[in-house]
Coordinates of all heavy atoms in Angstrom, one line a residue:
Chain A
E1361 N 11.8 72.9 -76.4 CA 12.3 72.0 -77.4 C 13.9 72.0 -77.4 O 14.5 71.2 -77.8 CB 11.7 72.2 -78.8 CG 12.4 73.3 -79.6 CD 11.9 74.8 -79.3 OE1 11.0 74.8 -78.3 OE2 12.4 75.7 -79.7
K1364 N 14.7 70.3 -73.2 CA 14.2 69.0 -72.9 C 15.0 67.9 -73.5 O 15.3 67.0 -72.7 CB 12.6 69.0 -73.1 CG 11.8 69.7 -72.0 CD 10.5 69.2 -71.7 CE 9.5 69.8 -72.8 NZ 8.0 69.5 -72.4
D1382 N 11.5 59.7 -70.2 CA 10.3 60.5 -70.3 C 10.1 60.9 -71.8 O 10.9 61.9 -72.2 CB 10.4 61.7 -69.4 CG 9.3 62.7 -69.6 OD1 8.4 62.4 -70.3 OD2 9.4 63.7 -69.0
R1391 N 10.5 59.6 -80.4 CA 9.2 58.9 -79.8 C 8.6 57.8 -80.7 O 8.1 56.8 -80.2 CB 8.1 60.0 -79.7 CG 8.4 61.1 -78.7 CD 7.1 61.9 -78.4 NE 7.4 63.3 -78.2 CZ 6.6 64.2 -78.2 NH1 5.4 64.0 -78.5 NH2 7.0 65.4 -77.9
K1448 N 2.7 57.2 -89.9 CA 3.1 56.8 -88.6 C 2.5 55.5 -88.1 O 3.2 54.6 -87.6 CB 2.7 57.9 -87.7 CG 3.3 58.0 -86.3 CD 2.5 58.7 -85.2 CE 2.9 60.2 -85.1 NZ 2.1 60.9 -84.2
R1634 N 3.6 52.4 -76.3 CA 2.9 53.3 -75.2 C 1.6 53.8 -75.8 O 1.4 53.7 -77.1 CB 3.9 54.4 -75.0 CG 5.2 54.1 -74.4 CD 6.0 55.4 -74.2 NE 6.0 56.4 -75.2 CZ 5.5 57.7 -74.9 NH1 5.1 58.0 -73.9 NH2 5.6 58.5 -76.0
P1635 N 0.5 54.1 -75.0 CA -0.7 54.6 -75.5 C -0.5 55.5 -76.6 O 0.1 56.6 -76.4 CB -1.4 55.1 -74.2 CG -0.6 54.5 -73.1 CD 0.8 54.2 -73.5
G1636 N -1.1 55.3 -77.7 CA -1.2 56.3 -78.7 C 0.2 56.6 -79.3 O 0.4 57.6 -80.0
E1640 N -3.5 57.2 -84.1 CA -4.4 58.2 -83.8 C -5.4 57.9 -82.6 O -5.8 56.8 -82.6 CB -5.3 58.7 -85.0 CG -5.0 60.1 -85.5 CD -6.0 60.2 -86.7 OE1 -7.2 60.1 -86.5 OE2 -5.4 60.3 -87.8
I1641 N -5.9 58.8 -82.0 CA -7.0 58.6 -81.0 C -8.3 58.4 -81.7 O -8.6 59.2 -82.7 CB -7.0 59.6 -80.0 CG1 -6.0 59.4 -79.0 CG2 -8.3 59.7 -79.2 CD1 -5.8 60.4 -77.9
M1644 N -14.6 58.8 -78.7 CA -15.6 57.8 -78.1 C -17.0 58.1 -78.9 O -17.8 57.3 -78.8 CB -15.7 58.0 -76.6 CG -14.5 57.8 -75.9 SD -14.5 58.3 -74.2 CE -15.0 56.9 -73.4
E1645 N -17.1 59.3 -79.3 CA -18.4 59.7 -79.9 C -18.3 61.0 -80.7 O -17.2 61.6 -80.7 CB -19.4 60.2 -78.8 CG -18.9 61.4 -78.0 CD -20.0 61.7 -77.0 OE1 -20.9 61.1 -76.6 OE2 -19.9 62.9 -76.6
Chain B
G641 N -22.1 71.1 -77.5 CA -21.0 70.8 -78.4 C -19.9 70.0 -77.7 O -18.9 69.7 -78.3
R644 N -17.3 63.7 -75.9 CA -16.4 62.8 -75.1 C -15.3 62.2 -76.0 O -15.7 61.4 -77.0 CB -17.2 61.6 -74.5 CG -18.1 62.2 -73.2 CD -19.4 61.3 -73.2 NE -19.1 59.9 -73.1 CZ -18.7 59.2 -71.9 NH1 -18.7 60.0 -70.8 NH2 -18.5 58.1 -71.9
V645 N -14.0 62.4 -75.6 CA -13.0 62.1 -76.7 C -12.3 60.7 -76.3 O -12.3 59.8 -77.0 CB -11.9 63.3 -76.7 CG1 -10.9 62.8 -77.8 CG2 -12.7 64.5 -77.2
R654 N 2.2 65.6 -70.7 CA 3.1 66.5 -71.5 C 3.3 66.2 -72.8 O 4.1 66.7 -73.6 CB 4.4 66.6 -70.7 CG 4.4 67.1 -69.4 CD 5.9 67.2 -68.7 NE 6.4 65.8 -68.6 CZ 6.0 64.9 -67.7 NH1 5.2 65.2 -66.7 NH2 6.6 63.7 -67.6
E655 N 2.4 65.3 -73.4 CA 2.6 65.0 -74.8 C 1.3 65.4 -75.5 O 0.1 65.6 -75.0 CB 2.9 63.5 -75.1 CG 4.2 63.1 -74.8 CD 4.6 61.7 -75.1 OE1 4.2 61.2 -76.3 OE2 5.1 61.0 -74.3
R657 N -1.5 64.2 -78.8 CA -2.1 63.2 -79.7 C -3.0 63.8 -80.7 O -3.7 64.8 -80.4 CB -2.8 62.1 -78.8 CG -1.9 61.4 -77.9 CD -1.1 60.3 -78.6 NE -0.2 59.6 -77.8 CZ 1.1 59.8 -77.4 NH1 1.6 60.9 -78.0 NH2 1.6 59.0 -76.6
E658 N -3.1 63.2 -81.9 CA -4.1 63.7 -82.8 C -5.4 63.0 -82.7 O -5.5 61.8 -82.4 CB -3.6 63.5 -84.3 CG -4.5 64.2 -85.3 CD -4.1 63.9 -86.7 OE1 -3.7 62.8 -87.1 OE2 -4.0 64.9 -87.5
D691 N 2.7 66.3 -82.8 CA 3.9 65.7 -82.6 C 4.9 66.6 -81.9 O 6.1 66.2 -81.9 CB 4.4 65.1 -84.0 CG 3.7 64.0 -84.5 OD1 3.0 63.3 -83.6 OD2 3.7 63.6 -85.6
G692 N 4.6 67.8 -81.6 CA 5.6 68.7 -81.1 C 6.0 68.7 -79.6 O 5.3 67.8 -78.9
V694 N 6.0 70.0 -75.8 CA 5.3 71.0 -75.1 C 6.4 71.9 -74.5 O 7.4 71.5 -73.9 CB 4.4 70.4 -73.9 CG1 3.8 71.5 -73.0 CG2 3.3 69.6 -74.6
S695 N 6.2 73.3 -74.6 CA 7.1 74.2 -74.2 C 6.6 75.3 -73.5 O 5.3 75.4 -73.3 CB 8.0 74.7 -75.4 OG 7.0 75.0 -76.5
S696 N 7.3 76.4 -73.2 CA 6.6 77.6 -72.6 C 7.3 78.8 -73.1 O 8.5 78.9 -73.5 CB 6.7 77.6 -71.1 OG 8.1 77.7 -70.6
T704 N 6.0 73.3 -79.6 CA 6.8 73.6 -80.6 C 6.7 72.8 -81.8 O 6.7 71.6 -81.7 CB 8.3 73.5 -80.1 OG1 8.4 74.3 -78.9 CG2 9.4 74.0 -81.1

Side-chain angles (χ1 to χ4, degrees):
Chain A
E1361 80 283 359
K1364 287 206 280 193
D1382 175 0
R1391 294 190 210 163
K1448 198 199 264 175
R1634 300 180 315 124
E1640 237 180 66
I1641 284 179
M1644 302 169 94
E1645 61 176 16
Chain B
R644 285 153 55 81
V645 179
R654 301 174 295 281
E655 283 185 46
R657 290 287 182 266
E658 189 183 45
D691 284 347
V694 172
S695 48
S696 69
T704 305

